[in-house]
Structures are given as structure tokens and as C-alpha cells.
Amino acid sequence: MAERPFIVGNWKMHGTRAMLSEARAIDRAAQRYMKVEVAVAPPFTLIHAVHREVEQIAVGAQDCHTAEAGAHTGDISASMVADAGAKFVILGHSERRENHAEDNAEVRAKSEAALEAGLNLIICCGESAETRDKGKAEQYVTAQLRASLPQIDNAGERLTVAYEPIWAIGTGNTATPEDVAAMHATIRGLLTETYGEEASASIRILYGGSVKPENAKELMALPDVDGALVGGASLSADSFMGIALAAAEVAE
Ligand code: PEP
């Protein structure tokens, strides 16, 4: 576990202004767990409002465009989300890869645009059930990540990686502790090869896929698991902060 674990809520396409009270509750609770870095990525429409409501937690975006500005109806640039108060952006989530046909080259291009705009990155990777059943999960994730990661000098400060097996997202299924540990070790190896040992040691690798307060402690205690990317359970301050508490206990 990293010195300061990172617990990030991905609200996906959930939330209107009614969710601001939940953001405030998360922010208040986060002040009790200063050893843990807590953040939320609300939909674009709430980034600025959440940013204005919170003091302790960081706010991020769930995507950005590769271009700075232009004729891209419906798209949002990295500098726009930064201007709204985002400090980081989640890129390459499997739902974007699937629903918007994003490939690794696009994830890398988006990450370069985000870095240019001053945003930190959470780059997602993860295999399908079919790939895992074929025994090719680690090979697949290595290739996916290798092609998605940007060239960057200070990766230790700007980059987080999230391993999210697709079959575990929103299903209630989590990967076995052995599989999570093996995949995180593989990812650590790739980060070391790409950015060098010192930077790699500072890059947090999050696990994502049906993380809940009930299973968080076991997952957070695994080697090279430095936090969690949380979907469903991040929509309520109680369950989300139950996960932050688990991370705080493991970090102690
Ligand atoms: C996610 O989509 O990033 C995620 C981990 O979702 P859930 O926690 O709901 O599985």
C-alpha cells in the first residue's frame, strides 16, 4: 500500500445538484482520514459545483477530448474541466472504450492533452471475462497499458493506474486476492520498465470492480494495491467513506 492511499469515486452518469449534499458529507468525513487521499469524479455538469462545495477532497473528470478547442459538438476539453475545478481526469475506462470505441492510441492522446492542461491522470485498464478465461489477462492488460501510457518525465507525481477487470465492474463480483495481487505486480513491473524504479514506486495502482466497505480491507491489504476506484459504492457518503476507512486502517 502507498504511503497515502487514493480512494476515488467515479459517479459515472449519476447525479444532479441533489448530489451536492452527498459531496459535502464525503468531504466532511474525509477530514477524519487525512492519511487517505479521497476524490470524486462527478459528471461534467457537476464538476464546478462540487469543487465549490468541498475543501478536503479533489474533484476530477471522467473523460476529456484530445483537442484544446474546436468543432467537436458535445465534447469537453481538458482545459475546460481544469477551468471548472478538476484536478485529474479518468481516462480509458472500459465503459468509454466499449461505448465510444476508444482505443489505446486515443487514451494516450487524451492523456497528453490532459497533462498539457495541468491535470493529473488516472488511466484505466482491465480484461474481459473471455480474456481471463483464456488465461491471457496479464498479457492483455500489459499490452493495453503499454499502448495507453503517455511519455512523461514526472510520472510519479502525475499518474495513477486503475486496474478494473471488466467482468467485476458493477456486477458484485470481485477478482480473487491472488489474481489482483498478480495483476498489480505485473502492472508495477511495466511501470518500472516504462518510467524507471523511482517514479514507478510513487505511482499508485488502484483496484476497481465492485469494491464495497465489506471487501475493501482485504483488497487494500494486498501488495501493490494503493487504493480503489469505486463506482456504485461512491454514490453514498456512508458506503464510500466505509471504503476510505478500510484504506486508513490498512495504511496505519
Ligand atoms: C468503475 O466503473 O470504475 C467501478 C469500479 O464500478 P463499480 O465499483 O460499480 O464496480
Side-chain angles (χ1 to χ4, degrees), residues 59-114:
V59 184
Q62 300 170 20
D63 181 44
C64 67
H65 198 270
T66 53
E68 163 73 22
H72 301 290
T73 303
D75 285 318
I76 307 275
S77 75
S79 59
M80 287 170 179
V81 295
D83 181 59
K87 292 284 180 278
F88 67 92
V89 60
I90 298 170
L91 293 173
H93 191 284
S94 60
E95 286 154 14
R96 296 231 34 110
R97 291 178 187 266
E98 224 169 284
N99 302 344
H100 299 271
E102 282 187 13
D103 61 12
N104 298 328
E106 190 170 2
V107 174
R108 176 179 279 163
K110 286 182 173 194
S111 72
E112 286 162 355

Side-chain angles (χ1 to χ4, degrees), residues 29-42:
Q31 296 176 23
R32 297 202 299 272
Y33 309 124
M34 299 297 276
K35 278 195 158 172
V36 179
E37 188 175 346
V38 177
V40 293

